């Protein structure tokens, strides 16, 4: 659409009762007549829209009674142009949410890099909450004969699990969730005892394999002697393409995506990180002083890593160079990374403290979940951050400075020393968690959510989020792509005193552009949403 056509579309009659309309082509003013003007911070405006840098820019619309949606129907409409695969997570689109009360709504691009896997990558998430849910977990079943669901990842609208199946004659396998309690076997990439890492990359699902040492979880060692250390690609016909081995590795620790490239790391010695160059070629990317880099995640232009050799966090500098960006007190191992409210967080052993990055080499404790020894999986879901732990396989929700709320104990296997809540992913509006040693997967919903469980392609899109009666609906380019479970409308009063954030959310600032942001005080019909999408 050229500039003249776009300006004409802004002047067109609204599709329904319009609470606010921010064109975002020259400033953050509301042109609806309701004077809900925004305050722009570090935002660049042009005919292409408001550009957000993924770091510090945002628009804040001060809290107002006019923005108190309460229990009413409403529609969010926005033109979104996310940055192409770059050096940061997607970030928030719109959010008016009180984290202390868990009350409000959000619309975001969801990214979660959890322990070994890229669990969510550029998915869309529309959620509401009024302090409801989180304690009731549903048993999603045991994939195969898993004792350890090491990896969970969303790919092309499906949830996949990578398992450790250590019995003699068995091998690690990939499973696809069919429905609650039922998993479809996608096969074993090789003869190793574990599919240890998963990532969605350039339209395909990649899987890393491992000879996992169960003694590290105080379990009997596997009778399977076969090494892993290789990465495979799941082809469209269900076959596996061998994409090569990570040096001399016997176990893949992690897969993630950074600056449009697939990265991997080695779980055991010899330590190593690698970048995929196609075919079966991997380029070594070095280590920090020969130490293992295990989990990896992206934050504010850099690739970060955790490690099992020291209580440190690392940052990749390019080539084969890494630097230490923190040595955490009373910590000997670091586990998972998560970006929550613009800050990088890391989970640890042996006191389970979660730390928040304050810049340079400074890390601040964000509290200990219960009396657990190890915090592992970290994931952000519907406005809050969650962590899984050892030795009791518990899940906690982060509330505020230093305070965590215990939600559940997911694995009650008797007669074992350690139980893990290890892997997490957001799928079909729910938070999923994989465990050891039962190998079972569990899920819960906090509030009500609609998620589009596919990677958002680069380029301009029209996104609409609708609350209509007892259901949420999410639209992409005029087509409904997701809907929530039903709920009682009276259960969700979204009124709060927080500002409306444009271009920021529960994880980070948006990296990309927004234009023609509208808030309607009713649920627009599908035909009206399709008309808005066509106008873009």
């Amino acid at each position: 659409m050229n500039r003249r056509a776009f300006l004409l579309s802004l002047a067109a009659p609204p599709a329904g009762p319009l609470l606010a309309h921010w064109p975002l082509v020259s400033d953050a003013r509301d042109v609806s007549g309701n004077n809900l003007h925004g305050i722009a911070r570090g935002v660049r405006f042009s005919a292409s829209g408001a550009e957000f840098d993924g770091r510090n820019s945002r628009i804040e619309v001060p809290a107002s009674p006019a923005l108190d949606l309460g229990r009413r129907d409403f529609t969010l409409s926005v033109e979104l142009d996310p940055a192409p695969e770059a050096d940061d997570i997607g970030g928030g689109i719109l959010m008016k949410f009180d984290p202390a009360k868990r009350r409000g709504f959000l619309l975001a691009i969801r990214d979660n890099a959890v322990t070994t896997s890229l669990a969510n990558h550029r998915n869309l998430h529309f959620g509401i909450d009024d302090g409801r849910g989180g304690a009731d977990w549903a048993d999603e079943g045991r994939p195969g004969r898993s004792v350890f669901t090491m990896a969970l990842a969303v790919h092309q609208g499906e949830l996949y699990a990578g398992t450790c199946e250590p019995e003699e004659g068995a091998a690690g396998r990939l499973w696809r969730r069919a429905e609650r309690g039922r998993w479809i076997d996608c096969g074993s990439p090789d003869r190793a005892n574990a599919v240890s890492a998963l990532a969605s990359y350039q339209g395909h699902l990649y899987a890393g394999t491992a000879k996992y040492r169960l003694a590290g979880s105080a379990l009997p060692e596997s009778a399977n002697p076969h090494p892993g250390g290789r990465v495979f690609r799941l082809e469209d016909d269900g076959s596996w393409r061998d994409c090569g081995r990570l040096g001399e590795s016997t176990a893949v620790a992690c897969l993630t995506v950074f600056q449009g490239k697939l990265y991997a790391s080695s779980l055991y010695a010899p330590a190593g990180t690698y970048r995929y160059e196609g075919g079966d070629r991997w380029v070594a990317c070095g280590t920090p002083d020969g130490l293992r880099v295990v989990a990896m995640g992206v934050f504010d232009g850099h690739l970060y890593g955790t490690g099992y050799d020291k209580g440190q966090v690392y940052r990749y500098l390019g080539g084969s160079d890494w630097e230490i960006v923190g040595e955490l007190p009373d910590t000997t191992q670091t586990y998972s990374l998560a970006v929550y409210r613009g800050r990088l967080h890391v989970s640890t052993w042996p006191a389970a403290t979660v730390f928040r990055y304050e810049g340079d080499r400074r890390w601040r404790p964000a509290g200990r979940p219960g009396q657990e020894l190890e915090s592992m999986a970290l994931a952000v879901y519907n406005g809050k951050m969650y962590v899984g732990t050892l030795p009791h396989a518990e899940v906690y929700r982060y509330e505020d400075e230093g305070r965590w709320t215990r939600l559940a104990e997911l694995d009650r296997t008797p007669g074992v020393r350690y139980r893990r809540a290890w892997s997490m992913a957001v799928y079909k509006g729910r938070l999923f968690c994989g465990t050891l040693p039962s190998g079972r997967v569990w899920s819960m919903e906090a509030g009500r959510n609609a998620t589009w469980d596919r990677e958002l392609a680069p380029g301009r899109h029209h996104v609409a989020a609708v609350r209509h009666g007892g259901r949420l609906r999410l639209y992409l380019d005029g087509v409904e792509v997701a809907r929530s479970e039903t709920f009682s409308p009276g259960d969700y009063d979204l009124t709060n005193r927080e500002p409306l954030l444009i271009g920021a959310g529960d994880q980070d600032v948006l990296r990309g552009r927004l234009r023609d942001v509208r808030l309607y005080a009713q649920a627009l019909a599908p035909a009206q949403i399709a008309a808005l999408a066509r106008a873009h």
Side-chain angles (χ1 to χ4, degrees), residues 388-449:
T389 67
L390 170 150
H392 296 114
E394 295 174 339
V395 176
Y396 290 77
R397 182 180 63 233
Y398 184 59
E399 303 297 357
D400 53 26
E401 200 66 37
R403 190 167 64 91
W404 295 81
T405 296
R406 180 183 180 275
L407 300 179
E409 182 180 0
L410 297 185
D411 196 319
R412 295 177 179 268
T413 303
V416 296
R417 182 178 180 184
Y418 293 141
R419 291 168 281 147
R420 297 181 183 272
W422 174 263
S423 50
M424 288 183 178
V426 177
Y427 175 68
K428 287 192 178 297
R430 300 176 68 86
L431 180 65
F432 285 71
C433 183
T435 62
L436 170 144
S438 71
R440 305 189 80 83
V441 179
W442 298 78
S443 75
M444 69 86 173
E445 185 170 22
R448 278 293 182 260
N449 304 268

Side-chain angles (χ1 to χ4, degrees), residues 306-318:
T306 66
Y308 292 173
D309 296 321
K310 290 188 177 182
Q312 298 175 332
V313 180
Y314 311 108
R315 182 164 58 202
Y316 183 51
L317 300 177

Side-chain angles (χ1 to χ4, degrees), residues 24-27 40-53 57-59 512-514:
L24 302 185
V25 293
S26 58
D27 55 34
R41 307 183 190 279
V43 178
R44 296 174 58 187
F45 294 96
S46 71
S48 298
E51 183 176 354
F52 299 83
D53 63 6
S57 56
R58 66 182 60 202
I59 294 171
R513 293 186 177 92
L514 297 177

Side-chain angles (χ1 to χ4, degrees), residues 63-130:
S64 164
L67 291 174
D68 289 341
L69 298 175
R71 298 177 174 86
R72 293 180 292 169
D73 291 349
F74 66 91
T75 299
L76 307 172
S77 171
V78 58
E79 182 182 302
L80 167 67
D81 185 7
E85 192 69 65
D87 55 5
D88 208 352
I89 65 173
I93 302 170
L94 293 162
M95 183 174 77
K96 193 176 190 302
F97 188 84
D98 182 338
K101 296 180 179 179
R102 287 173 49 217
R103 177 180 291 170
F105 69 85
L106 62 83
L107 177 63
I109 302 173
R110 179 67 66 217
D111 286 272
N112 279 309
V114 183
T115 50
T116 67
S117 298
L118 189 56
N120 298 100
H121 188 45
R122 297 170 70 90
N123 304 149
L124 284 176
H125 185 169
F126 173 39
I128 66 172
D129 204 353
D130 189 8

Side-chain angles (χ1 to χ4, degrees), residues 327-365:
E327 187 148 1
L328 309 180
D330 303 317
T331 298
T332 59
Q333 294 181 329
T334 52
Y335 277 84
S336 190
L337 297 163
V339 180
Y340 178 61
R341 293 194 163 260
R343 298 293 182 88
L344 184 66
H345 293 72
V346 65
S347 54
T348 69
W349 159 278
T353 303
V354 175
F355 289 86
R356 181 175 64 243
Y357 188 39
E358 300 288 341
D360 296 325
R361 293 171 61 97
R362 296 177 291 109
W363 292 79
R364 182 175 180 178

